[in-house]
Amino acid sequence: MSQQYDVLIIGGGLVGATLACALEPLACLQGLKIAIVEPRPVDQPQSRPPSFDARSSALSYGTIQAYEKLGLWSSLAGHAESIKQVHVSDRGHFGMTRLSHKKEGVPALGYVIDNFKLGEVLLDRLRCYRKKQTLTLYSPAEVTQLNPTAGSMLVTLLDSTKKQHDIKASLVVLADGGRSGLMAQIGIIRDTHDYGQHALIANITTDKPHEGVAYERFSRNGPMALLPKKSLIDKPEASLYGLVWTLSEDEINDVISMKASAVIKKLQDSFGYRAGRFLQIGHRDSYPLIMGIAREQIRPNLVVLGNAAHTVHPVAGQGYNLAIRDVMSLANTIKAAVIDRASVGDLHRLMTYLQKQEADQKRVVAFCDNLINAFSKNKLPTVMARNMCLLGLDFSSQLKSHFTKAAMGL
């Protein structure tokens, strides 16, 4: 006989694990049956990357509020660095604006945390739920097939011994990333746009205290973001940043293969000295920048979530924060269904969820796409127009506050 669940989450990454945390109280109080399928072994000791080489995420103030609600922030706060200001500028031109936490009356605009630390806290919570028997963890395991049935989805998975399991779920949540093979299997098409760019990711130190300032710097070589991070224990005199540097396809291989000193020089020439002198750069990684939007995010008994639903350009650091807003909205939709004793996979309820989120999703996708288009053109009228927009934003306190709140996910 098939094992049956109310909610089956495919993918135990940051988004899938956060959804499980949001739903776990329903398992305790309402008997909601939840399971996660994750191909990586969650019990295997995780390799701890050296602190200088850890990738990081910028969590908006709205995401922090969500993690506080889920009881996760207390475990994360000690590993996160606050963003007090965001400095936006157009290299070599007059346009510039600053966003400040003080103007908005909040302790920080957001926080920067290493991805491995965020993942570690979430996995610890999932293992705790498993011990409490409020969550079933299939790990390592892989879903091989999804088949709709009357009022549920039939899920076929293989465990680590290649044993097949047939599982029924009232709601399947696909949170297995932007390269989801299951989406293709069930005929969900992603509309994609290749920017012809790559993001170079690394950690870098400077000789100037960062004082909680994040930089979004647009240059002829591509936009660059510097995210303030917790200082290195063995280098307290240096400021540590997470670097996200957008480069063309022609440049990325050269920069990856360059000596560290050459990369630092190239970055310094492109960024300038606003953040100080760059001292040391860690391991460099890169990935292609492609906008991908799923044509369908819901079907009866199915929701597509996270990067599987929408992948946006990292220029404004909005992708993960958008996904968390989706997570919290979906959790509320499921909660309402449980209270009403309705099916959590009911299409009309899932349509209500999507209608609530669509405006937010479209706004973020359009904002990131338009920002890249505006700052990738170097003709004088375009340069003048975007710099006047930056200045106008800086001089208008009302407009700046509206912009800042949107960036904070509020």
Side-chain angles (χ1 to χ4, degrees):
M1 292 181 64
S2 301
Q3 183 69 45
Q4 297 193 13
Y5 296 97
D6 296 303
V7 180
L8 178 73
I9 304 167
I10 301 177
L14 301 182
V15 172
T18 299
L19 177 62
C21 291
L23 295 178
E24 198 268 347
L26 292 174
C28 291
L29 301 175
Q30 303 288 344
L32 189 75
K33 295 190 68 177
I34 311 166
I36 286 187
V37 181
E38 169 54 43
R40 294 167 298 178
V42 299
D43 292 314
Q44 184 176 306
Q46 302 295 306
S47 58
R48 299 293 188 262
S51 60
F52 196 79
D53 292 335
R55 292 175 61 174
S56 54
S57 291
L59 308 180
S60 71
Y61 187 69
T63 296
I64 298 306
Q65 288 182 316
Y67 280 142
E68 285 179 336
K69 182 178 180 180
L70 300 180
L72 291 165
W73 182 237
S74 59
S75 300
L76 296 169
H79 307 285
E81 182 62 69
S82 60
I83 299 174
K84 301 292 187 181
Q85 293 184 43
V86 177
H87 188 289
V88 185
S89 58
D90 193 2
R91 171 78 162 137
H93 302 288
F94 59 85
M96 181 182 67
T97 191
R98 293 184 181 90
L99 312 179
S100 170
H101 75 107
K102 291 182 179 179
K103 298 289 186 182
E104 302 307 318
V106 293
L109 298 174
Y111 291 82
V112 181
I113 189 167
D114 288 321
N115 281 357
F116 85 89
K117 178 55 67 175
L118 177 56
E120 184 180 75
V121 169
L122 288 167
L123 286 179
D124 282 346
R125 185 63 65 91
L126 296 187
R127 288 189 286 262
C128 176
Y129 295 156
R130 180 181 60 186
K131 188 175 181 180
K132 289 169 56 181
Q133 297 185 339
T134 54
L135 172 76
T136 301
L137 265 173
Y138 292 95
S139 168
E142 180 184 2
V143 173
T144 59
Q145 199 164 1
L146 292 175
N147 289 300
T149 63
S152 66
M153 293 286 289
L154 180 61
V155 180
T156 302
L157 65 85
L158 295 178
D159 63 21
S160 58
T161 66
K162 301 303 179 183
K163 180 181 178 181
Q164 181 174 303
H165 300 260
D166 291 323
I167 297 171
K168 277 190 174 182
S170 297
L171 178 64
V172 168
V173 179
L174 269 180
D176 56 346
R179 298 179 181 177
S180 171
L182 290 172
M183 284 177 61
Q185 182 194 108
I186 61 177
I188 296 181
I189 298 171
R190 279 170 60 90
D191 292 320
T192 61
H193 171 68
D194 191 338
Y195 288 102
Q197 300 173 328
H198 282 67
L200 181 136
I201 307 295
N203 286 330
I204 193 162
T205 55
T206 69
D207 64 355
K208 178 182 174 182
H210 61 57
E211 298 179 338
V213 179
Y215 294 90
E216 189 74 56
R217 191 92 156 120
F218 295 91
S219 77
R220 188 173 292 273
N221 291 79
M224 293 165 280
L226 289 179
L227 305 173
K229 300 182 67 174
K230 286 286 186 183
S231 296
L232 294 169
I233 295 174
D234 58 340
K235 292 184 176 66
E237 74 285 355
S239 284
L240 179 65
Y241 288 95
L243 167 68
V244 183
W245 188 5
T246 302
L247 294 165
S248 69
E249 291 180 334
D250 294 334
E251 292 177 295
I252 189 65
N253 291 330
D254 290 340
V255 175
I256 289 290
S257 61
M258 281 180 183
K259 290 184 178 179
S261 57
V263 177
I264 289 174
K265 182 179 185 307
K266 183 178 180 67
L267 178 62
Q268 195 86 68
D269 291 343
S270 296
F271 188 89
Y273 291 84
R274 218 174 269 277
R277 187 179 298 276
F278 296 123
L279 301 176
Q280 186 179 1
I281 191 167
H283 173 75
R284 285 158 271 158
D285 198 2
S286 69
Y287 59 89
L289 297 180
I290 297 173
M291 178 175 66
I293 310 296
R295 290 188 185 177
E296 299 172 80
Q297 291 185 37
I298 60 167
R299 285 182 179 179
N301 312 106
L302 178 73
V303 171
V304 181
L305 206 60
N307 280 342
H310 40 66
T311 305
V312 300
H313 199 288
V315 62
Q318 292 295 311
Y320 183 66
N321 297 299
L322 173 61
I324 296 303
R325 294 197 292 275
D326 288 347
V327 163
M328 299 305 288
S329 179
L330 179 60
N332 287 335
T333 300
I334 292 171
K335 180 179 180 180
V338 171
I339 291 172
D340 293 342
R341 299 187 181 278
S343 170
V344 295
D346 177 70
L347 180 60
H348 293 293
R349 289 179 180 268
L350 297 180
M351 286 177 64
T352 300
Y353 150 75
L354 185 57
Q355 287 166 0
K356 288 179 181 177
Q357 296 308 109
E358 269 188 325
D360 188 19
Q361 293 176 8
K362 289 178 180 178
R363 176 184 61 81
V364 170
V365 169
F367 173 72
C368 296
D369 192 48
N370 290 337
L371 200 61
I372 286 299
N373 290 333
F375 282 90
S376 64
K377 297 177 175 63
N378 292 302
K379 291 184 178 180
L380 185 58
T382 304
V383 172
M384 291 295 293
R386 74 191 185 212
N387 278 270
M388 289 302 295
C389 286
L390 284 174
L391 279 184
L393 181 63
D394 202 48
F395 281 114
S396 172
S397 58
Q398 185 175 1
L399 186 60
K400 185 190 288 191
S401 180
H402 177 76
F403 180 85
T404 305
K405 282 184 169 63
M408 292 166 62
L410 300 178

